[in-house]
């Protein structure tokens, strides 16, 4: 049965008050963590229910449907589930370790628009929810009008032109701490902030902005590794980390599979005496796009499309709109299995379907919609995947390819016996 129509109270439950939270600030991270699952999607109405509404209510419902399509949210994939499991386990185990010493870190690698940041932030937020629940019986709750000193997770982005001072500045900015003038004072302030806020996880995004061809980059990387001695789990997120130079000189441990990375700095801007010249251990995990070459890969892609389809609010949609016929192959060709490109194509296609009145998605309709990524000026060129702007719709054939398709040994669709 379809959900009931919204009432005429005038309440608009899908509008956000103010700009989106800035997760690179302590208060913004808290706001995002607490509100990340609170969006209310538009109810599923029949066309008859929609037609019976007043013009004002129809306009509001159309806005709500658009907001629903723009906020589909992070859908778990087999690739992201592997990272989530590893990250939650690492954060939990390191947080429960009371012995002093270096904590093993984690590197999350992958191409642009694959959801590395959202996957890592979601896993860190889930860990913080649990960690805060455990500590409520030990720590007093925050007092209204004062700062909460308990900050289990800190999220920062690597500066575009990284230096040890620049890295310290973004970490101190997260906590809202003052910025000392000298490097040694800034390093001391970072240590104090991480300790005073009982921070157990430090996420550094865009880590592959460190090219390591500059002395400052090498010094910054040594400073990052030194932070692992502060009872903090370091999570580094970047594009194609194995080929970026960050693990230069490192080698995988044949027993554990972890990367053992030695210090690399030969620079002078970061005091070598302040850094512990010991090896660091990281788990390196890749977030890959969907593949369409194996039965398991095709099944995972179809499951992902089914999850998106369930969240769409189009009146002429039908079960299997995204998962049957030629649509899965078409969507894969348009996006190469990259979840960020798929999300943008579905968003823009759904908006067009509402505005044009077609109220459905087809290969023919999507072929006229280019994939635009919006403002990408703050992204490194390596983070922008190749985007096929147009693609001819696949020809219609009597055979349907979708969730009930039989595949041969090569992963290609075949007729069912």
């Amino acid at each position: 049965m379809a959900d009931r129509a919204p009432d005429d109270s005038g309440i608009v439950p899908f509008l956000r008050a103010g700009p989106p939270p800035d997760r690179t600030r302590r208060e913004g991270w808290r706001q995002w963590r607490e509100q990340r699952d609170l969006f209310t999607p538009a109810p599923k109405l029949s066309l008859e229910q929609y037609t019976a509404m007043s013009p004002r209510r129809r306009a509001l419902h159309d806005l709500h449907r658009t907001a629903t399509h723009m906020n589909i949210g992070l859908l778990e994939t087999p690739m992201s589930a592997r990272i989530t499991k590893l990250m939650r386990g690492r954060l939990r185990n390191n947080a429960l370790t009371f012995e002093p010493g270096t904590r093993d870190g984690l590197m999350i690698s992958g191409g642009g628009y694959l959801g590395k940041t959202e996957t890592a932030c979601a896993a860190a937020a889930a860990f913080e929810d649990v960690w805060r629940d455990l500590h409520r019986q030990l720590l007093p709750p925050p007092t209204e009008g004062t700062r909460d000193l308990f900050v289990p997770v800190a999220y920062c982005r690597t500066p575009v032109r990284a230096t040890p001072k620049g890295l310290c500045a973004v970490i101190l900015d997260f906590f809202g701490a003052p910025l000392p003038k000298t490097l040694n004072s800034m390093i001391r302030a970072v240590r104090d902030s991480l300790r005073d806020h009982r921070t157990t996880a430090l996420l550094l995004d865009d880590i592959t902005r460190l090219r390591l061809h500059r002395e400052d980059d090498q010094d910054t990387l040594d400073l990052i590794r030194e932070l692992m001695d502060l009872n903090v789990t370091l999570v580094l997120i970047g594009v194609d980390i194995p080929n970026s130079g960050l693990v230069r000189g490192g080698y995988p441990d044949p027993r554990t599979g972890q990367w053992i990375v030695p210090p690399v700095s030969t620079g002078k801007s970061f005091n070598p005496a302040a850094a512990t010249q010991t090896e660091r251990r990281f788990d390196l995990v890749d977030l890959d796009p969907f593949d369409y070459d194996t039965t398991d890969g095709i099944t995972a892609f179809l499951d992902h499309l089914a999850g998106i389809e369930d969240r769409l609010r189009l009146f002429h949609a039908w079960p299997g709109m995204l998962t049957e016929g030629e649509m899965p192959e078409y969507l894969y060709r348009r996006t190469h299995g990259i979840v960020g490109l798929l999300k943008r194509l579905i968003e823009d296609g759904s908006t067009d379907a509402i505005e044009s009145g077609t109220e459905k998605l087809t290969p023919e309709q999507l072929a006229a919609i280019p994939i635009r990524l919006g403002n990408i000026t703050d992204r490194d060129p390596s983070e922008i995947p190749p985007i096929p702007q147009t693609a001819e719709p696949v020809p219609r054939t009597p055979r349907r390819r979708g969730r009930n398709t039989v595949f041969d040994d090569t992963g290609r669709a075949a007729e069912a016996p």
Side-chain angles (χ1 to χ4, degrees):
M1 178 180 296
D3 296 343
R4 67 181 180 86
D7 58 35
D8 291 319
S9 64
I11 296 176
V12 184
F14 53 89
L15 294 183
R16 181 182 61 224
D22 181 2
R23 292 185 296 200
T24 64
R25 299 293 188 270
R26 176 187 56 83
E27 184 58 29
W29 172 269
R30 181 199 63 78
Q31 183 182 358
W32 170 81
R33 180 180 60 82
E34 294 178 351
Q35 299 178 1
R36 67 188 190 279
D37 297 323
L38 297 184
F39 176 78
T40 303
K44 293 182 178 181
L45 304 182
S46 67
L47 185 57
E48 291 75 15
Q49 287 176 304
Y50 174 78
T51 305
M53 290 179 174
S54 67
R56 176 179 180 274
R57 294 305 301 177
R58 285 201 300 268
L60 287 176
H61 186 66
D62 287 344
L63 284 175
H64 199 171
R65 289 196 294 152
T66 300
T68 300
H69 299 153
M70 300 299 293
N71 293 276
I72 288 177
L74 182 66
L75 301 181
E76 188 174 73
T77 68
M79 300 79 76
S80 65
R82 181 177 70 251
I83 291 178
T84 298
K85 180 180 179 180
L86 176 61
M87 185 170 169
R88 288 183 180 178
R90 177 55 44 81
L91 294 181
R92 179 195 62 227
N93 293 347
N94 284 353
L96 293 173
T97 300
F98 297 102
E99 295 294 328
T102 302
R103 301 290 185 260
D104 290 349
L106 182 64
M107 291 183 176
I108 301 176
S109 178
Y113 288 87
L114 286 173
K116 301 182 299 298
T117 296
E118 296 309 314
T119 298
C121 286
F127 161 78
E128 180 170 342
D129 291 342
V130 173
W131 201 240
R132 282 184 175 275
D133 286 341
L134 291 175
H135 280 70
R136 282 194 176 97
Q137 57 183 319
L138 301 176
L139 301 174
T143 303
E144 188 70 27
T146 64
R147 295 201 328 172
D148 183 6
L149 291 180
F150 185 47
V151 184
V153 174
Y155 170 79
C156 304
R157 298 183 65 189
T158 307
V160 174
R161 186 174 177 84
T163 64
K165 279 190 173 183
L167 177 65
C168 289
V170 297
I171 297 175
L172 293 174
D173 283 344
F174 177 87
F175 293 107
L179 301 180
K181 294 183 178 181
T182 66
L183 176 59
N184 286 338
S185 297
M186 294 182 79
I187 294 174
R188 190 179 309 112
V190 168
R191 287 174 168 270
D192 292 343
S193 292
L194 293 172
R195 182 192 65 243
D196 294 344
H197 291 87
R198 301 179 182 89
T199 302
T200 61
L202 175 60
L203 279 60
L204 290 180
D205 205 350
D206 302 319
I207 192 63
T208 41
R209 288 175 172 173
L210 295 177
R211 299 303 184 189
L212 300 185
H213 63 280
R214 298 184 309 122
E215 182 178 284
D216 281 340
D217 288 350
Q218 297 176 16
D219 290 336
T220 303
L221 182 58
D222 265 349
L223 174 59
I224 289 172
R225 292 172 182 169
E226 184 194 358
L227 298 177
M228 297 173 70
D229 289 334
L230 305 179
N231 296 330
V232 173
T233 301
L234 201 60
V235 180
L236 307 181
I237 308 165
V239 175
D240 194 15
I241 288 179
N243 295 318
S244 68
L246 292 178
V247 292
R248 185 177 63 191
Y251 58 94
D253 187 325
R255 296 177 298 106
T256 65
Q258 289 181 316
W259 277 82
I260 301 176
V261 184
V264 299
S265 179
T266 57
K268 301 176 181 178
S269 61
F270 174 58
N271 181 8
T276 53
Q277 300 297 305
T278 59
E279 295 174 334
R280 299 291 185 262
R281 288 180 175 267
F282 290 90
D283 280 291
L284 177 60
V285 58
D286 287 308
L287 183 60
D288 300 314
F290 287 99
D291 76 83
Y292 215 79
D293 297 325
T294 65
T295 301
D296 288 343
I298 294 172
T299 299
F301 187 59
L302 293 174
D303 288 342
H304 188 72
L305 293 180
I308 295 175
E309 182 182 301
D310 184 61
R311 288 162 171 77
L312 297 182
R313 300 295 190 263
L314 299 176
F315 291 123
H316 295 321
W318 64 91
M321 181 177 67
L322 300 185
T323 61
E324 298 289 346
E326 304 294 348
M327 182 65 98
E329 290 185 14
Y330 176 78
L331 291 174
Y332 188 84
R333 291 213 316 269
R334 283 296 306 272
T335 64
H336 305 308
I338 298 174
V339 293
L341 300 187
L342 176 64
K343 180 176 182 292
R344 183 56 58 89
L345 179 61
I346 295 298
E347 288 174 354
D348 292 346
S350 298
T351 299
D352 178 78
I354 292 175
E355 293 178 348
S356 66
T358 59
E359 293 289 343
K360 62 183 179 182
L361 299 179
T362 64
E364 291 79 8
Q365 177 228 6
L366 294 176
I369 298 177
I371 299 176
R372 298 186 177 93
L373 298 180
N375 183 12
I376 56 177
T377 56
D378 65 335
R379 288 179 176 266
D380 189 271
S382 64
E383 300 172 16
I384 310 301
I387 304 170
Q389 291 300 321
T390 59
E392 292 297 324
V394 291
R396 293 185 178 277
T397 63
R399 183 173 61 206
R400 298 182 64 80
R401 302 178 184 179
R403 297 180 65 80
N404 298 319
T405 302
V406 176
F407 300 94
D408 61 24
D409 292 338
T410 67
R412 296 185 60 82
E415 293 285 5

